[in-house]
Short mmCIF file of all heavy atoms in Angstrom, two decimals:
data_model
loop_
_atom_site.label_atom_id
_atom_site.label_comp_id
_atom_site.label_asym_id
_atom_site.label_seq_id
_atom_site.Cartn_x
_atom_site.Cartn_y
_atom_site.Cartn_z
N ARG A 117 5.68 53.45 -50.46
CA ARG A 117 5.54 54.56 -49.52
C ARG A 117 4.63 55.65 -50.09
O ARG A 117 3.83 56.24 -49.35
CB ARG A 117 6.93 55.13 -49.22
CG ARG A 117 6.92 56.46 -48.47
CD ARG A 117 6.20 56.35 -47.14
NE ARG A 117 6.98 55.63 -46.14
CZ ARG A 117 6.52 55.29 -44.95
NH1 ARG A 117 5.26 55.57 -44.63
NH2 ARG A 117 7.27 54.64 -44.10
N ALA A 118 4.71 55.88 -51.37
CA ALA A 118 3.82 56.89 -51.98
C ALA A 118 2.36 56.46 -51.88
O ALA A 118 1.46 57.29 -51.71
CB ALA A 118 4.22 57.13 -53.43
N ALA A 119 2.12 55.15 -52.01
CA ALA A 119 0.74 54.65 -51.92
C ALA A 119 0.28 54.50 -50.48
O ALA A 119 -0.93 54.45 -50.22
CB ALA A 119 0.63 53.31 -52.65
N HIS A 120 1.23 54.43 -49.55
CA HIS A 120 0.89 54.21 -48.14
C HIS A 120 1.78 55.12 -47.30
O HIS A 120 2.80 54.67 -46.75
CB HIS A 120 1.10 52.74 -47.77
CG HIS A 120 0.52 52.37 -46.43
ND1 HIS A 120 1.08 52.75 -45.23
CD2 HIS A 120 -0.60 51.65 -46.11
CE1 HIS A 120 0.37 52.27 -44.22
NE2 HIS A 120 -0.66 51.61 -44.73
N PRO A 121 1.45 56.40 -47.17
CA PRO A 121 2.33 57.35 -46.47
C PRO A 121 2.37 57.15 -44.96
O PRO A 121 3.27 57.66 -44.29
CB PRO A 121 1.73 58.71 -46.84
CG PRO A 121 0.32 58.43 -47.23
CD PRO A 121 0.29 57.05 -47.80
N GLU A 122 1.39 56.42 -44.37
CA GLU A 122 1.37 56.25 -42.92
C GLU A 122 2.23 55.08 -42.49
O GLU A 122 2.50 54.17 -43.27
CB GLU A 122 -0.07 56.02 -42.42
CG GLU A 122 -1.05 57.13 -42.75
CD GLU A 122 -1.66 56.96 -44.13
OE1 GLU A 122 -1.46 55.88 -44.73
OE2 GLU A 122 -2.31 57.91 -44.61
N GLY A 123 2.62 55.08 -41.22
CA GLY A 123 3.33 53.96 -40.63
C GLY A 123 4.79 53.91 -41.02
O GLY A 123 5.31 54.77 -41.75
N THR A 124 5.48 52.90 -40.48
CA THR A 124 6.89 52.70 -40.76
C THR A 124 7.08 51.37 -41.49
O THR A 124 6.31 50.42 -41.29
CB THR A 124 7.72 52.68 -39.47
OG1 THR A 124 7.23 51.64 -38.61
CG2 THR A 124 7.60 54.02 -38.74
N VAL A 125 8.11 51.31 -42.32
CA VAL A 125 8.39 50.06 -43.04
C VAL A 125 8.95 49.05 -42.06
O VAL A 125 10.04 49.22 -41.51
CB VAL A 125 9.37 50.30 -44.19
CG1 VAL A 125 9.67 48.98 -44.90
CG2 VAL A 125 8.81 51.31 -45.19
N ALA A 126 8.20 47.95 -41.83
CA ALA A 126 8.62 46.91 -40.90
C ALA A 126 9.41 45.82 -41.58
O ALA A 126 10.24 45.16 -40.95
CB ALA A 126 7.40 46.30 -40.20
N ALA A 127 9.16 45.60 -42.87
CA ALA A 127 9.86 44.54 -43.59
C ALA A 127 9.59 44.69 -45.07
O ALA A 127 8.60 45.29 -45.49
CB ALA A 127 9.42 43.16 -43.12
N VAL A 128 10.49 44.12 -45.85
CA VAL A 128 10.32 44.03 -47.30
C VAL A 128 10.62 42.59 -47.70
O VAL A 128 11.66 42.03 -47.32
CB VAL A 128 11.24 45.00 -48.05
CG1 VAL A 128 11.18 44.74 -49.55
CG2 VAL A 128 10.85 46.44 -47.75
N LEU A 129 9.71 42.00 -48.47
CA LEU A 129 9.89 40.65 -48.98
C LEU A 129 10.02 40.74 -50.49
O LEU A 129 9.00 40.89 -51.20
CB LEU A 129 8.71 39.76 -48.59
CG LEU A 129 8.58 39.38 -47.10
CD1 LEU A 129 7.96 40.52 -46.29
CD2 LEU A 129 7.73 38.13 -46.92
N PRO A 130 11.24 40.72 -51.02
CA PRO A 130 11.43 40.89 -52.47
C PRO A 130 10.69 39.81 -53.26
O PRO A 130 10.66 38.63 -52.87
CB PRO A 130 12.95 40.76 -52.64
CG PRO A 130 13.52 41.08 -51.29
CD PRO A 130 12.53 40.58 -50.31
N GLY A 131 10.08 40.21 -54.37
CA GLY A 131 9.35 39.27 -55.19
C GLY A 131 10.28 38.31 -55.93
O GLY A 131 11.27 38.73 -56.53
N THR A 132 9.97 37.03 -55.86
CA THR A 132 10.75 36.01 -56.57
C THR A 132 9.79 35.04 -57.25
O THR A 132 8.64 34.88 -56.83
CB THR A 132 11.66 35.21 -55.61
OG1 THR A 132 10.85 34.59 -54.61
CG2 THR A 132 12.68 36.12 -54.94
N ASP A 133 10.27 34.41 -58.33
CA ASP A 133 9.49 33.37 -59.02
C ASP A 133 8.09 33.85 -59.41
O ASP A 133 7.09 33.16 -59.22
CB ASP A 133 9.37 32.11 -58.15
CG ASP A 133 10.72 31.50 -57.84
OD1 ASP A 133 11.62 31.60 -58.69
OD2 ASP A 133 10.88 30.94 -56.74
N GLY A 134 8.02 35.06 -59.95
CA GLY A 134 6.75 35.57 -60.43
C GLY A 134 5.85 36.16 -59.39
O GLY A 134 4.68 36.47 -59.68
N ALA A 135 6.34 36.33 -58.16
CA ALA A 135 5.53 36.92 -57.09
C ALA A 135 5.82 38.41 -56.99
O ALA A 135 6.89 38.90 -57.38
CB ALA A 135 5.82 36.24 -55.76
N THR A 136 4.86 39.17 -56.49
CA THR A 136 5.06 40.59 -56.25
C THR A 136 5.91 40.80 -55.00
O THR A 136 5.99 39.94 -54.12
CB THR A 136 3.71 41.30 -56.07
OG1 THR A 136 2.93 40.62 -55.07
CG2 THR A 136 2.93 41.35 -57.37
N THR A 137 6.53 41.97 -54.93
CA THR A 137 7.27 42.37 -53.73
C THR A 137 6.28 42.86 -52.68
O THR A 137 5.36 43.62 -53.00
CB THR A 137 8.29 43.47 -54.05
OG1 THR A 137 9.27 42.94 -54.95
CG2 THR A 137 8.95 44.01 -52.81
N ARG A 138 6.49 42.43 -51.44
CA ARG A 138 5.61 42.84 -50.36
C ARG A 138 6.34 43.82 -49.45
O ARG A 138 7.39 43.48 -48.89
CB ARG A 138 5.14 41.62 -49.57
CG ARG A 138 4.14 40.76 -50.33
CD ARG A 138 3.85 39.47 -49.60
NE ARG A 138 4.91 38.49 -49.78
CZ ARG A 138 4.94 37.31 -49.18
NH1 ARG A 138 3.99 36.98 -48.33
NH2 ARG A 138 5.94 36.48 -49.41
N VAL A 139 5.78 45.00 -49.31
CA VAL A 139 6.33 46.02 -48.41
C VAL A 139 5.37 46.13 -47.24
O VAL A 139 4.20 46.51 -47.41
CB VAL A 139 6.50 47.37 -49.12
CG1 VAL A 139 7.13 48.39 -48.18
CG2 VAL A 139 7.35 47.22 -50.39
N VAL A 140 5.86 45.80 -46.05
CA VAL A 140 5.01 45.68 -44.87
C VAL A 140 5.16 46.94 -44.02
O VAL A 140 6.28 47.33 -43.66
CB VAL A 140 5.40 44.44 -44.04
CG1 VAL A 140 4.46 44.28 -42.84
CG2 VAL A 140 5.35 43.18 -44.91
N PHE A 141 4.01 47.54 -43.69
CA PHE A 141 4.00 48.75 -42.87
C PHE A 141 3.36 48.44 -41.52
O PHE A 141 2.30 47.81 -41.45
CB PHE A 141 3.19 49.86 -43.56
CG PHE A 141 3.84 50.41 -44.80
CD1 PHE A 141 3.59 49.84 -46.04
CD2 PHE A 141 4.70 51.50 -44.72
CE1 PHE A 141 4.19 50.34 -47.18
CE2 PHE A 141 5.30 52.00 -45.87
CZ PHE A 141 5.05 51.43 -47.10
N ALA A 142 4.03 48.91 -40.46
CA ALA A 142 3.50 48.75 -39.10
C ALA A 142 2.91 50.07 -38.63
O ALA A 142 3.46 51.14 -38.89
CB ALA A 142 4.62 48.32 -38.15
N GLN A 143 1.76 49.96 -37.95
CA GLN A 143 1.10 51.13 -37.38
C GLN A 143 0.60 50.77 -35.99
O GLN A 143 0.07 49.67 -35.78
CB GLN A 143 -0.08 51.57 -38.24
CG GLN A 143 0.30 52.11 -39.60
CD GLN A 143 -0.92 52.53 -40.41
OE1 GLN A 143 -1.01 52.21 -41.59
NE2 GLN A 143 -1.86 53.22 -39.78
N PRO A 144 0.75 51.67 -35.02
CA PRO A 144 0.32 51.37 -33.65
C PRO A 144 -1.15 51.00 -33.54
O PRO A 144 -1.52 50.17 -32.70
CB PRO A 144 0.64 52.66 -32.89
CG PRO A 144 1.70 53.33 -33.70
CD PRO A 144 1.40 52.99 -35.12
N ASP A 145 -2.00 51.59 -34.38
CA ASP A 145 -3.44 51.34 -34.25
C ASP A 145 -3.86 49.99 -34.82
O ASP A 145 -5.01 49.58 -34.67
CB ASP A 145 -4.22 52.45 -34.97
CG ASP A 145 -3.87 52.54 -36.45
OD1 ASP A 145 -2.68 52.60 -36.77
OD2 ASP A 145 -4.81 52.56 -37.27
N LEU A 146 -2.93 49.25 -35.45
CA LEU A 146 -3.29 47.97 -36.04
C LEU A 146 -3.07 46.79 -35.09
O LEU A 146 -3.46 45.66 -35.42
CB LEU A 146 -2.46 47.74 -37.32
CG LEU A 146 -2.73 48.69 -38.49
CD1 LEU A 146 -1.80 48.36 -39.65
CD2 LEU A 146 -4.19 48.59 -38.94
N GLY A 147 -2.45 47.02 -33.95
CA GLY A 147 -2.19 45.92 -33.03
C GLY A 147 -1.20 44.93 -33.64
O GLY A 147 -0.11 45.31 -34.09
N ASP A 148 -1.59 43.65 -33.68
CA ASP A 148 -0.70 42.63 -34.26
C ASP A 148 -0.90 42.48 -35.76
O ASP A 148 -0.30 41.61 -36.38
CB ASP A 148 -0.89 41.29 -33.57
CG ASP A 148 -2.29 40.73 -33.75
OD1 ASP A 148 -3.17 41.47 -34.25
OD2 ASP A 148 -2.52 39.55 -33.41
N ARG A 149 -1.72 43.33 -36.37
CA ARG A 149 -1.91 43.32 -37.82
C ARG A 149 -0.99 44.34 -38.47
O ARG A 149 -0.44 45.22 -37.82
CB ARG A 149 -3.36 43.62 -38.19
CG ARG A 149 -4.40 42.64 -37.64
CD ARG A 149 -4.15 41.23 -38.12
NE ARG A 149 -5.30 40.37 -37.94
CZ ARG A 149 -5.45 39.48 -36.96
NH1 ARG A 149 -4.51 39.35 -36.03
NH2 ARG A 149 -6.52 38.72 -36.89
N GLU A 150 -0.82 44.21 -39.78
CA GLU A 150 0.02 45.11 -40.55
C GLU A 150 -0.65 45.41 -41.89
O GLU A 150 -1.57 44.70 -42.30
CB GLU A 150 1.41 44.47 -40.80
CG GLU A 150 2.17 44.14 -39.54
CD GLU A 150 3.34 43.20 -39.80
OE1 GLU A 150 3.18 42.27 -40.61
OE2 GLU A 150 4.41 43.41 -39.20
N HIS A 151 -0.18 46.45 -42.53
CA HIS A 151 -0.61 46.75 -43.89
C HIS A 151 0.50 46.32 -44.84
O HIS A 151 1.66 46.69 -44.67
CB HIS A 151 -0.90 48.23 -44.08
CG HIS A 151 -2.20 48.66 -43.49
ND1 HIS A 151 -2.53 49.98 -43.23
CD2 HIS A 151 -3.28 47.94 -43.09
CE1 HIS A 151 -3.74 50.05 -42.70
NE2 HIS A 151 -4.21 48.82 -42.62
N THR A 152 0.14 45.51 -45.82
CA THR A 152 1.12 45.05 -46.81
C THR A 152 0.74 45.61 -48.17
O THR A 152 -0.39 45.45 -48.64
CB THR A 152 1.15 43.51 -46.88
OG1 THR A 152 1.56 43.00 -45.61
CG2 THR A 152 2.12 43.04 -47.94
N VAL A 153 1.71 46.30 -48.78
CA VAL A 153 1.53 46.86 -50.11
C VAL A 153 2.25 45.94 -51.10
O VAL A 153 3.41 45.58 -50.90
CB VAL A 153 2.10 48.29 -50.19
CG1 VAL A 153 1.98 48.83 -51.61
CG2 VAL A 153 1.38 49.21 -49.20
N TYR A 154 1.55 45.56 -52.17
CA TYR A 154 2.07 44.62 -53.16
C TYR A 154 2.53 45.40 -54.38
O TYR A 154 1.75 46.15 -54.99
CB TYR A 154 1.01 43.60 -53.54
CG TYR A 154 0.57 42.77 -52.35
CD1 TYR A 154 -0.43 43.22 -51.49
CD2 TYR A 154 1.17 41.55 -52.07
CE1 TYR A 154 -0.82 42.47 -50.39
CE2 TYR A 154 0.79 40.79 -50.98
CZ TYR A 154 -0.20 41.26 -50.14
OH TYR A 154 -0.58 40.53 -49.05
N VAL A 155 3.81 45.24 -54.74
CA VAL A 155 4.43 46.01 -55.81
C VAL A 155 4.96 45.05 -56.88
O VAL A 155 5.64 44.07 -56.55
CB VAL A 155 5.58 46.88 -55.26
CG1 VAL A 155 6.20 47.73 -56.38
CG2 VAL A 155 5.10 47.76 -54.12
N ASP A 156 4.67 45.36 -58.13
CA ASP A 156 5.22 44.57 -59.23
C ASP A 156 6.72 44.88 -59.32
O ASP A 156 7.11 46.03 -59.55
CB ASP A 156 4.53 44.95 -60.55
CG ASP A 156 4.92 44.01 -61.70
OD1 ASP A 156 6.12 43.70 -61.83
OD2 ASP A 156 4.01 43.59 -62.45
N PRO A 157 7.59 43.87 -59.13
CA PRO A 157 9.03 44.18 -59.09
C PRO A 157 9.60 44.65 -60.41
O PRO A 157 10.67 45.28 -60.43
CB PRO A 157 9.65 42.83 -58.67
CG PRO A 157 8.65 41.80 -59.08
CD PRO A 157 7.31 42.45 -58.94
N ARG A 158 8.94 44.39 -61.53
CA ARG A 158 9.49 44.77 -62.82
C ARG A 158 9.04 46.16 -63.27
O ARG A 158 9.68 46.77 -64.12
CB ARG A 158 9.12 43.73 -63.87
CG ARG A 158 9.81 42.39 -63.63
CD ARG A 158 9.40 41.33 -64.63
NE ARG A 158 10.17 40.11 -64.44
CZ ARG A 158 9.89 39.19 -63.53
NH1 ARG A 158 8.84 39.35 -62.74
NH2 ARG A 158 10.64 38.12 -63.39
#
Side-chain angles (χ1 to χ4, degrees):
R117 169 59 74 187
H120 191 287
E122 301 86 10
T124 58
V125 179
V128 172
L129 290 79
T132 59
D133 299 327
T136 52
T137 296
R138 288 172 282 176
V139 183
V140 183
F141 291 89
Q143 293 180 225
D145 59 309
L146 294 178
D148 63 349
R149 300 300 197 259
E150 300 165 319
H151 283 163
T152 298
V153 177
Y154 298 86
V155 182
D156 189 316
R158 292 177 175 82

